[in-house]
Amino acid sequence: VVAEKVKLPPGYWIGWGGQFEQLVSATKRLMIVVPVALLLVFLLLFMGMGSAADAALVFSGVPLALTGGVAALLLRDIPLSISAGVGFIALSGVAVLNGLVIIAFIERLRSEGRSVVDAVREGALTRLRPVLMTALVASLGFVPMALATGAGAEVQRPLATVVIGGIISSTMLTLLVLPALSVLFRRDAGTETPTMAPDLAASGER
């Protein structure tokens, strides 16, 4: 708007400083910090699980979590800011944690000799409550920040909004899409028929 409406004589120019200048420099840093943080998360998963395939499977929760964070910002008409970028980094950790809870349990069942379909079904049923508890604790804890209106609210709202929206979407992926991907990419040799075993039904009741 200034460039269109303010006509400067030759030899004059406009330079922006203060908070806007800090915002520009911080944005440039975030463009480096966020990819590096995501790469470190993947490397930690790889080191902990010992398999690039399992690490990629758990890391698949990050894209949908980031999508949920962006959607939440759009719904609340909040611009992307530095605090929102920090929220995306925190959100990635929560999304990976939820996926790790299920995948680690599924791999334990497979090491006991269960088929992929049976292990995925029992793992999803057994870990439903821990995943929901993790998501609820993290999201409800950010609700006061998301609704803040006092001093510092302009920093708190974007961060909390990103985390809450991303947790909702990542939880859906963890409970629905992640087990499906486990069956799709980790099939046993031969043909499987995904029938419900009696012991799995009993575990679901527990």
Side-chain angles (χ1 to χ4, degrees):
V1 172
V2 172
E4 292 177 356
K5 295 186 177 181
V6 178
K7 302 302 180 181
L8 297 177
Y12 288 81
W13 66 90
I14 296 177
W16 300 97
Q19 292 184 356
F20 182 81
E21 185 180 17
Q22 296 174 5
L23 175 65
V24 172
S25 64
T27 302
K28 293 179 180 179
R29 286 197 298 269
L30 275 181
M31 293 177 65
I32 300 175
V33 171
V34 172
V36 170
L38 294 178
L39 179 61
L40 289 176
V41 169
F42 182 82
L43 289 178
L44 288 173
L45 283 174
F46 176 73
M47 293 169 60
M49 307 188 74
S51 169
D54 290 338
L57 192 60
V58 175
F59 197 77
S60 65
V62 174
L64 188 58
L66 300 182
T67 303
V70 173
L73 289 177
L74 292 175
L75 286 176
R76 298 197 64 189
D77 195 23
I78 298 177
L80 184 64
S81 61
I82 304 304
S83 60
V86 175
F88 281 118
I89 297 176
L91 177 60
S92 301
V94 177
V96 166
L97 175 62
N98 285 340
L100 191 59
V101 168
I102 286 187
I103 295 300
F105 190 75
I106 290 174
E107 291 303 313
R108 193 181 79 180
L109 292 177
R110 292 192 64 203
S111 66
E112 296 174 357
R114 303 288 185 91
S115 66
V116 173
V117 172
D118 290 345
V120 167
R121 182 180 290 113
E122 183 171 354
L125 290 173
T126 307
R127 293 296 147 185
L128 173 63
R129 184 180 298 176
V131 170
L132 289 178
M133 288 177 62
T134 303
L136 286 174
V137 167
S139 58
L140 292 178
F142 279 98
V143 168
M145 293 176 60
L147 302 178
T149 57
E154 67 278 358
V155 176
Q156 299 176 18
R157 282 200 304 267
L159 190 153
T161 300
V162 165
V163 173
I164 292 174
I167 285 177
I168 294 174
S169 61
S170 67
T171 301
M172 293 171 56
L173 175 120
T174 301
L175 297 176
L176 300 176
V177 181
L178 195 57
L181 291 177
S182 300
V183 174
L184 182 62
F185 292 106
R186 313 292 281 176
R187 283 192 177 278
D188 295 326
T191 305
E192 288 184 345
T193 54
T195 56
M196 173 69 77
D199 59 328
L200 299 183
S203 69
E205 294 175 0
R206 291 196 299 271

